Amino acid sequence: GGGLVHSDRRNPCTASSTLRCCARSFARSSCRRGLRRSSMLLVLLPASAAFNVAARPASTPCARAAAPRLTSPLSAPTHPAVAGWPDKYAGTLGAATGPRVLHDAFAVEAADSALLMELDVANWPTWTTAGNDRWLPNVTRKDKEMPYGELSYLISGKLEIVPKETGLPVVVNPGDVVTFPEGFVSDWTVLEELTWHYYLY
């Protein structure tokens, strides 16, 4: 008749439930259409893009600004005396013979002629305590710290060195080669006026 009661078994809606049934039917059909669309998208897109997992670039943690490296004033920048030493060297740098570092630690050793020739000591610049009020004989200079490395060859005079580490006096005589490493601390006493060749590094 003209009522809202349907006898169709496929869609058994009563008058009171017509709106609810229609809503459920619409929802089911909408869900099915949505699933079909989603399935098509999943087929068309790579898995990583569909799920938005690996397609995004990995997040990078904020990089902290690197802390400035603290450098000892003994090692940087190059001491002016070291930078100027090559201009005082009468030999040829880079030749088969020439100055080089012998030891990493303080050392005093007698030099033979072969070593002197190998190091080209005769062409090293010369330093003396003559006329220098800072280095008067028999006056001890306490806690002298080397601002650079130095290799010295004593031509004449006599020097007493007492390393702070050992407290044991070492006497440097003519013909000795002395290694003063950078940062080496000691007491110096000029026993006799000094003259020596030197190499700074």
Side-chain angles (χ1 to χ4, degrees), residues 106 108 154 157-161 168-173 176 191:
F106 171 70
V108 178
L154 187 58
K158 187 174 291 187
L159 172 67
E160 181 186 77
I161 300 173
L168 301 176
V170 178
V171 176
V172 182
N173 294 293
D176 286 343
L191 302 179

Side-chain angles (χ1 to χ4, degrees), residues 7-188:
S7 60
D8 189 347
R9 290 182 179 179
R10 290 173 297 176
N11 193 17
C13 292
T14 63
S16 61
S17 63
T18 297
L19 294 176
R20 291 194 299 272
C21 286
C22 290
R24 285 196 298 270
S25 298
F26 178 79
R28 284 196 296 271
S29 63
S30 297
C31 288
R32 284 194 293 273
R33 286 195 299 272
L35 287 173
R36 282 197 296 272
R37 290 193 185 101
S38 299
S39 299
M40 292 174 66
L41 287 173
L42 289 173
V43 170
L44 293 174
L45 295 174
S48 60
F51 291 101
N52 196 27
V53 176
R56 291 180 297 180
S59 59
T60 303
C62 294
R64 290 184 178 180
R69 181 174 295 179
L70 298 179
T71 307
S72 168
L74 294 177
S75 55
T78 301
H79 193 282
V82 176
W85 185 90
D87 294 335
K88 300 177 181 180
Y89 176 50
T92 303
L93 292 175
T97 60
R100 63 180 176 85
V101 179
L102 295 181
H103 306 286
D104 293 330
F106 171 70
V108 178
E109 57 191 309
D112 56 21
S113 58
L115 180 62
L116 296 179
M117 291 180 63
E118 177 189 337
L119 298 176
D120 194 26
V121 171
N123 284 316
W124 294 6
T126 303
W127 176 80
T128 180
T129 61
N132 190 334
D133 292 339
R134 297 179 61 193
W135 298 104
L136 297 175
N138 301 311
V139 176
T140 300
R141 186 171 180 184
K142 304 285 290 185
D143 295 328
K144 172 178 165 54
E145 182 172 355
M146 295 297 299
Y148 39 72
E150 179 174 343
L151 186 63
S152 301
Y153 172 72
L154 187 58
I155 301 171
S156 62
K158 187 174 291 187
L159 172 67
E160 181 186 77
I161 300 173
V162 182
K164 189 170 184 179
E165 284 188 355
T166 65
L168 301 176
V170 178
V171 176
V172 182
N173 294 293
D176 286 343
V177 171
V178 188
T179 296
F180 297 106
E182 180 183 359
F184 175 69
V185 180
S186 61
D187 297 343
W188 286 31

